[in-house]
Amino acid sequence: MKILAPKILAIESSCDETSCAIIDDKGTIDAHIIRSQIADHQKYAGVVPELAARKHLEICDILVEETLDNAHCSADDIYAIATTAGPGLIGSLLVGMMVGQAYAQAWQKPFYSINHLEAHALSPTLNSDITFPYLLLLVSGGHSEFIYVNGVGDYQRLGKTIDDAAGEAFDKAAKLLSLPYPGGPHIEQSAIKGNAAAYDLARPMRHRQGCDFSFSGLKSDLRRQIMHHQQSLNRQDINDYAASFQQAVCDIMVDRAKNAIVLCPQKPQYFVVAGGVAANQTIRTSLQKLANENDMLFHAPPIELCTDNAAMVAWAAQMRLKNGLDLSFHPARPRWALDELK
Ligand code: KG4
Ligand code: ZN
């Protein structure tokens, strides 16, 4: 018997967001909850893996129950359970996997291990008209990569960071400027009142072949210039450094994106940007301009689907199910490249 609109319940816990969602095969989101641990990690100015795992453990099963309540669903309404199996922080992943498997076993439902990068890669197609192939720039605290998304299960990574992720660079720069964690939004706010041409900061990899990124040289240059600053930084200095830093990141991204577009095996219609850094308005505007100059349409998913969330995990499971792709069990793993899914 064919099940009409099978619902999948998904769990995401690969980093510092605990999230649970229920979605049907059309992409209707019955319920979606995201709980961020930012407040717990703020005083350490970064995610502490051990703490993250403990915080997931405290709320993961409660979140599943809340999500079921919000969707007015019971076990009988759920077709399968999907959980992010990697890549990510191993302790955090294990919590989500354990909770997901426990529910699957208790309810006698199929259990699907989902690749977190595939979930990000397919998230732009959730509730939008975007068609394959598209070029995705995924920029967050953990990732900075260009992915050519040819179809479900068919991905080609065109380039990646060789050191820090873009969001990590924002966070480290914020720390150097004594701005709070996570740094991205604070740098953006501060930059509004700053002069982006005040400091000439390094733009590593610019004009190089390919579309790999490097951000650690930019951060080191910022640190060096701050150290050589004549007096202690005043408010305006901080704003000027923030604006100059943001401009450098922007220039690097546009330069790398130009090459990524050329490297696509087939000219995609869409340029999509996702991940926490995609919230940055200056970066969005620059990438949109580049996309338009290249006769491409620009798309950025709504922010709650752009950052880590369980809706994208449920949607990736739905897409694999619809396309008859492998959904067999994979244990939690900190590294799991997209190319391995082929
Ligand atoms: O996708 P995300 O919420 O979580 C993971 O990385 O898993 O991304 C968080 C990252 C942080 O490094 C944060 O500083 C950065 O995204 N971020 C931003 C902005 N908002 C968040 N970076 C630049 N500008 C922003 N407005
Ligand atoms: Zn992510």
Side-chain angles (χ1 to χ4, degrees), residues 92-125:
S92 295
L93 290 165
L94 281 169
V95 174
M97 288 286 280
M98 188 182 68
V99 173
Q101 280 176 273
Y103 273 96
Q105 214 157 56
W107 293 350
Q108 293 290 295
K109 309 279 177 184
F111 177 82
Y112 306 142
S113 309
I114 298 298
N115 180 301
H116 179 80
L117 294 171
E118 176 171 52
H120 272 304
L122 295 176
S123 66
T125 63

Short mmCIF file of all heavy atoms in Angstrom, two decimals, residues 92-125:
data_model
loop_
_atom_site.label_atom_id
_atom_site.label_comp_id
_atom_site.label_asym_id
_atom_site.label_seq_id
_atom_site.Cartn_x
_atom_site.Cartn_y
_atom_site.Cartn_z
N SER A 92 28.36 15.35 19.84
CA SER A 92 27.05 15.94 19.52
C SER A 92 26.27 15.03 18.57
O SER A 92 25.07 14.79 18.75
CB SER A 92 27.24 17.32 18.88
OG SER A 92 27.83 18.19 19.80
N LEU A 93 26.96 14.54 17.55
CA LEU A 93 26.30 13.65 16.58
C LEU A 93 25.77 12.40 17.27
O LEU A 93 24.65 11.94 17.00
CB LEU A 93 27.30 13.21 15.50
CG LEU A 93 27.77 14.28 14.51
CD1 LEU A 93 29.00 13.79 13.75
CD2 LEU A 93 26.66 14.60 13.52
N LEU A 94 26.59 11.84 18.18
CA LEU A 94 26.19 10.59 18.85
C LEU A 94 24.90 10.75 19.64
O LEU A 94 24.08 9.84 19.69
CB LEU A 94 27.32 10.11 19.78
CG LEU A 94 28.48 9.41 19.07
CD1 LEU A 94 29.67 9.22 20.01
CD2 LEU A 94 28.04 8.05 18.51
N VAL A 95 24.70 11.94 20.22
CA VAL A 95 23.48 12.18 21.01
C VAL A 95 22.26 12.10 20.08
O VAL A 95 21.30 11.36 20.35
CB VAL A 95 23.52 13.54 21.74
CG1 VAL A 95 22.19 13.82 22.41
CG2 VAL A 95 24.66 13.58 22.75
N GLY A 96 22.30 12.85 18.98
CA GLY A 96 21.17 12.85 18.04
C GLY A 96 20.91 11.46 17.48
O GLY A 96 19.76 11.01 17.38
N MET A 97 21.99 10.76 17.13
CA MET A 97 21.86 9.42 16.55
C MET A 97 21.23 8.46 17.56
O MET A 97 20.37 7.64 17.22
CB MET A 97 23.24 8.88 16.14
CG MET A 97 23.81 9.57 14.92
SD MET A 97 22.98 9.05 13.39
CE MET A 97 23.79 7.49 13.08
N MET A 98 21.67 8.57 18.79
CA MET A 98 21.17 7.67 19.85
C MET A 98 19.67 7.91 20.07
O MET A 98 18.89 6.96 20.13
CB MET A 98 21.96 7.96 21.12
CG MET A 98 21.74 7.03 22.26
SD MET A 98 22.72 7.60 23.64
CE MET A 98 21.90 9.12 24.07
N VAL A 99 19.29 9.18 20.16
CA VAL A 99 17.88 9.51 20.39
C VAL A 99 17.04 9.07 19.18
O VAL A 99 15.99 8.44 19.32
CB VAL A 99 17.70 11.02 20.69
CG1 VAL A 99 16.23 11.40 20.75
CG2 VAL A 99 18.40 11.39 21.99
N GLY A 100 17.52 9.38 17.98
CA GLY A 100 16.79 9.00 16.75
C GLY A 100 16.61 7.50 16.66
O GLY A 100 15.50 7.01 16.39
N GLN A 101 17.68 6.76 16.91
CA GLN A 101 17.59 5.30 16.82
C GLN A 101 16.68 4.72 17.90
O GLN A 101 15.97 3.74 17.65
CB GLN A 101 18.99 4.69 16.97
CG GLN A 101 19.80 4.76 15.70
CD GLN A 101 21.20 4.22 15.92
OE1 GLN A 101 22.08 4.97 16.33
NE2 GLN A 101 21.38 2.95 15.69
N ALA A 102 16.70 5.33 19.07
CA ALA A 102 15.85 4.84 20.16
C ALA A 102 14.37 4.97 19.77
O ALA A 102 13.58 4.03 19.94
CB ALA A 102 16.12 5.62 21.45
N TYR A 103 14.01 6.13 19.20
CA TYR A 103 12.62 6.32 18.76
C TYR A 103 12.29 5.34 17.63
O TYR A 103 11.20 4.75 17.61
CB TYR A 103 12.38 7.77 18.30
CG TYR A 103 11.99 8.68 19.44
CD1 TYR A 103 12.95 9.46 20.07
CD2 TYR A 103 10.68 8.75 19.89
CE1 TYR A 103 12.60 10.31 21.14
CE2 TYR A 103 10.32 9.59 20.94
CZ TYR A 103 11.29 10.36 21.56
OH TYR A 103 10.93 11.19 22.60
N ALA A 104 13.22 5.19 16.68
CA ALA A 104 12.96 4.30 15.54
C ALA A 104 12.72 2.88 16.03
O ALA A 104 11.81 2.19 15.55
CB ALA A 104 14.13 4.36 14.57
N GLN A 105 13.52 2.48 17.00
CA GLN A 105 13.39 1.11 17.50
C GLN A 105 12.09 0.94 18.30
O GLN A 105 11.35 -0.03 18.11
CB GLN A 105 14.58 0.79 18.39
CG GLN A 105 15.00 -0.66 18.28
CD GLN A 105 16.46 -0.82 18.68
OE1 GLN A 105 16.80 -0.43 19.80
NE2 GLN A 105 17.28 -1.38 17.81
N ALA A 106 11.81 1.91 19.16
CA ALA A 106 10.59 1.82 19.99
C ALA A 106 9.34 1.84 19.12
O ALA A 106 8.37 1.14 19.40
CB ALA A 106 10.57 2.98 20.98
N TRP A 107 9.37 2.64 18.06
CA TRP A 107 8.20 2.79 17.20
C TRP A 107 8.20 1.82 16.01
O TRP A 107 7.27 1.83 15.20
CB TRP A 107 8.12 4.21 16.63
CG TRP A 107 7.85 5.29 17.63
CD1 TRP A 107 7.48 5.16 18.94
CD2 TRP A 107 7.92 6.70 17.39
NE1 TRP A 107 7.32 6.38 19.52
CE2 TRP A 107 7.58 7.36 18.59
CE3 TRP A 107 8.25 7.48 16.28
CZ2 TRP A 107 7.55 8.74 18.71
CZ3 TRP A 107 8.22 8.86 16.39
CH2 TRP A 107 7.88 9.47 17.61
N GLN A 108 9.29 1.06 15.89
CA GLN A 108 9.41 0.11 14.76
C GLN A 108 9.31 0.82 13.41
O GLN A 108 8.48 0.47 12.55
CB GLN A 108 8.34 -0.99 14.86
CG GLN A 108 8.52 -1.90 16.06
CD GLN A 108 9.73 -2.81 15.90
OE1 GLN A 108 9.76 -3.65 15.03
NE2 GLN A 108 10.75 -2.60 16.73
N LYS A 109 10.12 1.89 13.25
CA LYS A 109 10.13 2.68 12.00
C LYS A 109 11.51 2.57 11.36
O LYS A 109 12.51 2.36 12.06
CB LYS A 109 9.87 4.17 12.29
CG LYS A 109 8.65 4.46 13.12
CD LYS A 109 7.39 4.43 12.30
CE LYS A 109 6.18 4.66 13.21
NZ LYS A 109 4.92 4.55 12.51
N PRO A 110 11.60 2.83 10.04
CA PRO A 110 12.93 2.88 9.41
C PRO A 110 13.75 4.03 9.99
O PRO A 110 13.18 5.06 10.38
CB PRO A 110 12.62 3.14 7.93
CG PRO A 110 11.18 2.89 7.74
CD PRO A 110 10.51 3.06 9.08
N PHE A 111 15.07 3.84 10.02
CA PHE A 111 15.97 4.89 10.51
C PHE A 111 16.95 5.25 9.39
O PHE A 111 17.58 4.38 8.81
CB PHE A 111 16.75 4.41 11.74
CG PHE A 111 17.73 5.43 12.24
CD1 PHE A 111 17.32 6.48 13.06
CD2 PHE A 111 19.07 5.37 11.86
CE1 PHE A 111 18.21 7.44 13.49
CE2 PHE A 111 19.97 6.33 12.30
CZ PHE A 111 19.55 7.37 13.11
N TYR A 112 17.08 6.54 9.09
CA TYR A 112 17.98 6.99 8.02
C TYR A 112 19.09 7.87 8.58
O TYR A 112 18.82 8.84 9.29
CB TYR A 112 17.20 7.81 6.97
CG TYR A 112 15.98 7.13 6.39
CD1 TYR A 112 14.83 7.87 6.13
CD2 TYR A 112 15.98 5.77 6.09
CE1 TYR A 112 13.70 7.28 5.57
CE2 TYR A 112 14.86 5.16 5.55
CZ TYR A 112 13.72 5.92 5.29
OH TYR A 112 12.61 5.33 4.76
N SER A 113 20.34 7.54 8.20
CA SER A 113 21.49 8.39 8.57
C SER A 113 21.69 9.41 7.45
O SER A 113 21.88 9.03 6.30
CB SER A 113 22.77 7.57 8.68
OG SER A 113 22.59 6.45 9.49
N ILE A 114 21.69 10.68 7.79
CA ILE A 114 21.77 11.73 6.76
C ILE A 114 23.09 12.49 6.85
O ILE A 114 23.57 12.80 7.94
CB ILE A 114 20.57 12.69 6.88
CG1 ILE A 114 19.25 11.94 6.64
CG2 ILE A 114 20.70 13.89 5.93
CD1 ILE A 114 19.10 11.32 5.25
N ASN A 115 23.65 12.79 5.67
CA ASN A 115 24.87 13.59 5.58
C ASN A 115 24.49 15.08 5.71
O ASN A 115 23.66 15.59 4.96
CB ASN A 115 25.55 13.32 4.23
CG ASN A 115 26.82 14.12 4.05
OD1 ASN A 115 26.81 15.34 4.07
ND2 ASN A 115 27.92 13.43 3.85
N HIS A 116 25.10 15.74 6.68
CA HIS A 116 24.77 17.13 7.00
C HIS A 116 25.03 18.07 5.80
O HIS A 116 24.26 19.01 5.56
CB HIS A 116 25.64 17.54 8.20
CG HIS A 116 25.47 18.94 8.66
ND1 HIS A 116 24.43 19.33 9.46
CD2 HIS A 116 26.21 20.05 8.45
CE1 HIS A 116 24.54 20.62 9.73
NE2 HIS A 116 25.62 21.09 9.11
N LEU A 117 26.08 17.79 5.04
CA LEU A 117 26.41 18.66 3.89
C LEU A 117 25.39 18.47 2.78
O LEU A 117 25.02 19.41 2.09
CB LEU A 117 27.81 18.34 3.38
CG LEU A 117 28.92 18.69 4.36
CD1 LEU A 117 30.26 18.14 3.89
CD2 LEU A 117 29.02 20.19 4.56
N GLU A 118 24.91 17.23 2.61
CA GLU A 118 23.86 17.00 1.62
C GLU A 118 22.59 17.74 2.03
O GLU A 118 21.89 18.33 1.19
CB GLU A 118 23.57 15.50 1.48
CG GLU A 118 22.42 15.25 0.52
CD GLU A 118 22.21 13.78 0.17
OE1 GLU A 118 22.10 12.96 1.10
OE2 GLU A 118 22.15 13.47 -1.03
N ALA A 119 22.31 17.74 3.33
CA ALA A 119 21.11 18.45 3.81
C ALA A 119 21.23 19.94 3.49
O ALA A 119 20.28 20.56 3.00
CB ALA A 119 20.94 18.21 5.31
N HIS A 120 22.42 20.54 3.74
CA HIS A 120 22.63 21.94 3.38
C HIS A 120 22.48 22.12 1.86
O HIS A 120 21.86 23.08 1.39
CB HIS A 120 24.03 22.41 3.77
CG HIS A 120 24.15 22.93 5.16
ND1 HIS A 120 23.39 23.97 5.64
CD2 HIS A 120 24.99 22.58 6.18
CE1 HIS A 120 23.75 24.23 6.89
NE2 HIS A 120 24.71 23.40 7.24
N ALA A 121 23.08 21.19 1.11
CA ALA A 121 23.10 21.32 -0.36
C ALA A 121 21.70 21.29 -0.96
O ALA A 121 21.43 21.98 -1.94
CB ALA A 121 23.96 20.22 -0.97
N LEU A 122 20.80 20.50 -0.36
CA LEU A 122 19.45 20.38 -0.92
C LEU A 122 18.46 21.38 -0.30
O LEU A 122 17.35 21.56 -0.83
CB LEU A 122 18.92 18.95 -0.70
CG LEU A 122 19.68 17.85 -1.45
CD1 LEU A 122 19.14 16.47 -1.10
CD2 LEU A 122 19.62 18.06 -2.97
N SER A 123 18.86 22.03 0.79
CA SER A 123 17.92 22.92 1.49
C SER A 123 17.34 24.03 0.60
O SER A 123 16.18 24.40 0.77
CB SER A 123 18.57 23.52 2.75
OG SER A 123 19.64 24.37 2.38
N PRO A 124 18.09 24.55 -0.40
CA PRO A 124 17.47 25.61 -1.24
C PRO A 124 16.24 25.13 -2.00
O PRO A 124 15.42 25.96 -2.40
CB PRO A 124 18.60 25.97 -2.22
CG PRO A 124 19.85 25.54 -1.55
CD PRO A 124 19.50 24.33 -0.74
N THR A 125 16.09 23.82 -2.21
CA THR A 125 14.94 23.33 -2.99
C THR A 125 13.70 23.14 -2.11
O THR A 125 12.63 22.81 -2.63
CB THR A 125 15.26 21.99 -3.70
OG1 THR A 125 15.54 21.00 -2.71
CG2 THR A 125 16.44 22.12 -4.63
#
